[in-house]
Amino acid sequence: MMNATRPLAGFDIPVHRALTEPLLLGGAPRAVAIINGTLAAALGLGLQQWLAGLCLFVIGHTLAAFAAKRDPDFLPVLMRHLRQRGWLRC
C-alpha cells in the first residue's frame, strides 16, 4: 500500500512563486489600479479638480485593495457576473 504523504518519484515540479500569485499593484489588481489612476488623473489634471481626483484615487484604490485581499480574482468574477446576469434569474 502506498503512503499518501510521500510524493511519487519523478512527479515533482518546482514552480516559481510568480506563476501562482496574482498580479497586484499596490495591493489592488493591476487593471483596476491602472483604470483607477487614469480616471483620477483625468479628473485631477484634466478638469483641474485635484482634490476630487485625489479622493477618488484613495477611495477607489482602498476598496480595490480590500476586495483583492478577500479574493484576488474578484474582477474576473465581477465581469462574468455582469455578463451572465440574466442567466441566473429564477
Side-chain angles (χ1 to χ4, degrees):
M1 201 158 158
M2 296 182 67
N3 188 357
T5 60
R6 192 179 70 201
L8 296 174
F11 288 95
D12 291 344
I13 299 174
V15 178
H16 197 274
R17 197 171 112 190
L19 294 174
T20 61
E21 292 183 358
L23 291 173
L24 300 178
L25 190 63
R30 185 173 173 256
V32 175
I34 291 172
I35 291 171
N36 186 31
T38 303
L39 289 175
L43 183 63
L45 298 174
L47 297 177
Q48 296 179 356
Q49 299 291 323
W50 61 270
L51 187 59
L54 184 64
C55 290
L56 175 73
F57 177 74
V58 169
I59 292 170
H61 195 79
T62 302
L63 290 175
F66 279 133
K69 187 182 283 188
R70 178 123 172 126
D71 181 18
D73 293 328
F74 81 92
L75 187 62
V77 171
L78 177 66
M79 297 303 290
R80 187 171 51 241
H81 168 70
L82 292 176
R83 188 174 60 241
Q84 297 177 352
R85 186 182 323 203
W87 292 98
L88 301 177
R89 287 195 182 142
C90 294

